[in-house]
Amino acid sequence: MARSFDVIFIGAGPAGYVGAIRAAQNGLKVACIDSWKNRDGSNAFGGTCLNAGCIPSKALLESSELYHRAREEFAVHGIRTGEVALDLAAMQTRKAKIVSSLTSGIKALFQANGVTGLVGRGRLLPSGKVEYTPEGGAVEELEAKDVVLAGGSEPVPLAAAPFDGSTIVDSWGALDFEAVPKRLGVIGAGVIGLELGSVWRRLGSEVVLLEALETFLPAADVQVAKEAERQFTRQGLDIRLGCKVTEAKVGGRKVHVRYRKGAKEETIEVDRLVVAVGRRPRSREILAEGTDVRVDARGFVEVDEHCRTSRAHVWAIGDLVRGPMLAHKGSEEGVMVADLLVGRSAEVNYATVPSVIYTAPEIAWVGKSQQALEQEGVPFKAGSFPFSANGRAKALEAAQGFVKILAHAETDEILGVHVIGPVASELVAEAVLAMEFQASAEDLALTVHAHPTLSEATHEAALAVDGRAIHAINKKKAG
Ligand code: FAD
Ligand code: NAD
């Protein structure tokens, strides 16, 4: 007889594994199937995020930043060191240990919550059953009342620069270099390009980023993007906008990259090339033919605001569906679906999903950018506060950037908060909470913030919305 569950999650990335745990907490009999395979042939739960994305990239960002600061900044603090040397192998080992401790943690969480973790491929069949193909084992059909598709995404390949797994690589490859490339090319100056470009720049590479668009970071607030481009260029990232790569060829242990910029043909030679031009949903293998689950032209599984697909009792979450490809967005969808399955009311507030770029300075935002509000014709007022006037940022030797708050001109409701500066990733949490509760800029201005903290910059930016910042000269008069 077929093994039977209340719900089967296909995919154990941050969308699937989080949803599976919540569903089990809700009293359901849950299975979660995952086919992730590491380079050493081992399997691991956690998906892209834990194995090849968020976690390993943040581990290397931290190590490379410390290396950079030890070399460039300690002297400013009055700390003299001998020669600061790089042990890349040790850095990579640390990264691998962090990853494996977290992925084995998921296994333990599955056990503790009673989730049946299954290693192998899962596929929805037209019958509504799930075909499970364990590695080296016999194919099995599993039954479930509900199925949640959480197969995630994969890097978009570029025909002009095909991956070869060693010299022309995707983001996973770029996390695993065994030596620092003397010259590194990156196609795409998006989130991955900037984060991984920063890692290798700090460790000594000359980094050239070739970006197709004429505008740098168009999703970020226009002032933040301008400040970011200035800071990154100062750090030595060579960001070239409006570049169309026409060919990348490996020869003589180098990659020869040809690109067009306007009417000009240019060539660069690099030791390694990272292609980071976006990710695409992995929807093909998860659906057998005839399943009646609608997929759009770009491969995203079509869902409503509750992640229901076109077929009853089939749901889809995470990178596989519309919206930003972010781990926390997928996790929230997983939790929502798990709660809906037991009749609880649940939703994801897509308007308050924060975005973060873990460069130095970090960039984080929630809500609308100034240019989006202008385009939509929403009347707004803005207040900003620079970290150069924040005591804690100065003590941290990280006084670059600012906090900018956009509030509705009439109601004062916060519409967007944009941070470029030290640990912006953590500072944005307060803004998310404020927006979740539809707070006004005045609410934030009336909230007591500890001194000296970076969060005082958020407080001051809220005061500045009405021309009342204390530690900066206000551009506008207090109303
Ligand atoms: P995934 O994490 O891709 O997981 C899907 C899982 O399903 C995988 O394990 C896959 O093997 C499995 N699977 C697929 N098909 C099948 C099948 N048929 N049968 C069984 N299993 C299957 N996001 C952030 O929020 N913050 C960050 O800092 C961040 N950094 C990133 C850095 C990099 C370098 C990259 C590449 C991505 C980063 N992301 C970050 C994005 C984040 O990793 C994704 O948004 C997130 O992992 C998506 O979660 P998911 O569960 O939808 O899919
Ligand atoms: P992205 O969309 O952030 O950036 C891709 C960049 O490549 C864009 O600027 C795009 O204009 C450019 N591009 C596209 N085609 C090109 C071409 N032919 N030539 C040159 N440039 C080209 O995508 P990504 O950086 O690959 O990241 C993929 C996903 O992973 C993103 O959706 C992101 O949300 C997620 N991610 C998130 C984080 C984070 O939250 N900190 C970190 C890494 C990745």
Side-chain angles (χ1 to χ4, degrees):
M1 220 175 68
R3 278 198 278 177
S4 163
F5 298 88
D6 293 322
V7 55
I8 296 174
F9 286 78
I10 308 179
Y17 87 73
V18 170
I21 290 172
R22 172 56 75 92
Q25 287 171 346
N26 287 344
L28 298 176
K29 189 177 174 200
V30 184
C32 186
I33 308 174
D34 194 278
S35 60
W36 185 274
K37 206 174 220 356
N38 286 311
R39 296 235 164 79
D40 63 3
S42 61
N43 294 97
F45 295 128
T48 306
C49 170
L50 269 73
N51 291 293
C54 321
I55 300 304
S57 61
K58 266 78 252 179
L60 286 188
L61 277 157
E62 188 60 31
S63 298
S64 60
E65 179 64 6
L66 277 181
Y67 173 70
H68 168 77
R69 294 184 77 176
R71 280 166 63 101
E72 308 291 333
E73 214 178 280
F74 278 16
V76 182
H77 287 272
I79 303 167
R80 280 202 215 124
T81 57
E83 196 202 340
V84 177
L86 175 67
D87 182 347
L88 183 58
M91 205 178 267
Q92 292 288 23
T93 303
R94 171 183 175 271
K95 177 199 78 180
K97 273 192 194 149
I98 294 169
V99 168
S100 69
S101 78
L102 291 173
T103 55
S104 51
I106 298 178
K107 230 183 190 171
L109 288 171
F110 275 1
Q111 268 161 15
N113 285 283
V115 174
T116 304
L118 299 170
V119 174
R121 292 221 154 265
R123 198 158 78 117
L124 182 73
L125 299 172
S127 61
K129 288 185 184 165
V130 171
E131 180 188 84
Y132 167 49
T133 312
E135 238 182 71
V139 180
E140 182 184 351
E141 277 192 18
L142 307 173
E143 282 178 350
K145 194 163 156 260
D146 287 271
V147 177
V148 185
L149 308 172
S153 63
E154 61 193 7
V156 170
L158 204 58
F163 297 123
D164 67 7
S166 59
T167 319
I168 304 181
V169 297
D170 62 14
S171 53
W172 196 9
L175 286 165
D176 282 352
F177 290 156
E178 284 158 0
V180 179
K182 187 164 175 338
R183 242 171 110 71
L184 176 69
V186 183
I187 307 183
V191 193
I192 291 180
L194 291 170
E195 289 187 0
L196 296 186
S198 295
V199 165
W200 295 107
R201 174 72 199 130
R202 293 166 190 168
L203 298 181
S205 293
E206 290 168 33
V207 178
V208 183
L209 293 122
L210 302 174
E211 166 60 47
L213 297 178
E214 294 287 354
T215 313
F216 180 64
L217 278 184
D221 181 86
V222 64
Q223 268 174 291
V224 169
K226 209 167 138 201
E227 174 68 7
E229 191 176 0
R230 203 173 66 84
Q231 296 282 349
F232 299 155
T233 304
R234 253 187 34 191
Q235 290 164 15
L237 289 180
D238 180 353
I239 302 167
R240 303 184 189 179
L241 302 174
C243 297
K244 182 165 179 10
V245 173
T246 50
E247 187 184 50
K249 246 194 183 156
V250 181
R253 302 174 75 185
K254 295 252 181 260
V255 194
H256 307 268
V257 186
R258 280 223 314 243
Y259 65 94
R260 261 204 321 270
K261 185 167 164 58
K264 279 212 299 210
E265 277 271 356
E266 313 249 359
T267 313
I268 52 165
E269 240 178 40
V270 292
D271 300 295
R272 299 280 184 114
L273 181 67
V274 183
V275 179
V277 294
R279 295 178 62 84
R280 63 182 184 195
R282 212 186 286 131
S283 54
R284 266 161 302 148
E285 293 161 23
I286 212 165
L287 295 167
E289 213 160 301
T291 49
D292 214 16
V293 171
R294 264 205 304 273
V295 173
D296 74 14
R298 293 161 65 209
F300 289 99
V301 174
E302 289 184 13
V303 287
D304 68 9
E305 74 278 17
H306 287 118
C307 292
R308 287 189 179 90
T309 70
S310 51
R311 180 175 174 147
H313 297 289
V314 178
W315 313 69
I317 57 178
D319 281 10
L320 204 53
V321 304
R322 81 294 173 258
M325 286 184 164
L326 295 172
H328 43 284
K329 173 262 191 188
S331 297
E332 291 303 322
E333 289 176 336
V335 166
M336 170 179 72
V337 169
D339 283 353
L340 291 170
L341 287 176
V342 292
R344 222 173 268 156
S345 83
E347 60 178 21
V348 172
N349 185 356
Y350 288 100
T352 57
V353 175
S355 295
V356 179
I357 308 177
Y358 293 83
T359 42
E362 288 186 353
I363 298 169
W365 71 87
V366 56
K368 303 268 176 151
S369 63
Q370 178 165 334
Q371 64 270 27
L373 292 174
E374 282 166 354
Q375 263 164 28
E376 290 167 21
V378 178
F380 68 89
K381 45 190 180 168
S384 12
F385 189 82
F387 283 106
S388 58
N390 175 275
R392 188 73 192 280
K394 282 205 166 297
L396 288 168
E397 198 59 31
Q400 295 96 23
F402 54 84
V403 178
K404 173 174 173 181
I405 297 184
L406 301 165
H408 196 282
E410 285 133 32
T411 66
D412 197 38
E413 183 178 342
I414 299 170
L415 303 173
V417 178
H418 304 268
V419 188
I420 173 164
V423 285
S425 53
E426 301 293 342
L427 292 177
V428 80
E430 177 186 16
V432 174
L433 190 66
M435 287 185 66
E436 191 61 43
F437 284 90
Q438 293 181 292
S440 61
E442 191 185 19
D443 288 329
L444 214 48
L446 288 170
T447 304
V448 182
H449 289 71
H451 174 76
T453 58
L454 297 169
S455 68
E456 285 176 295
T458 310
H459 184 225
E460 289 271 10
L463 285 162
V465 167
D466 278 321
R468 293 173 193 277
I470 301 291
H471 294 93
I473 296 164
N474 292 285
K475 284 196 189 120
K476 65 178 101 164
K477 281 222 160 65

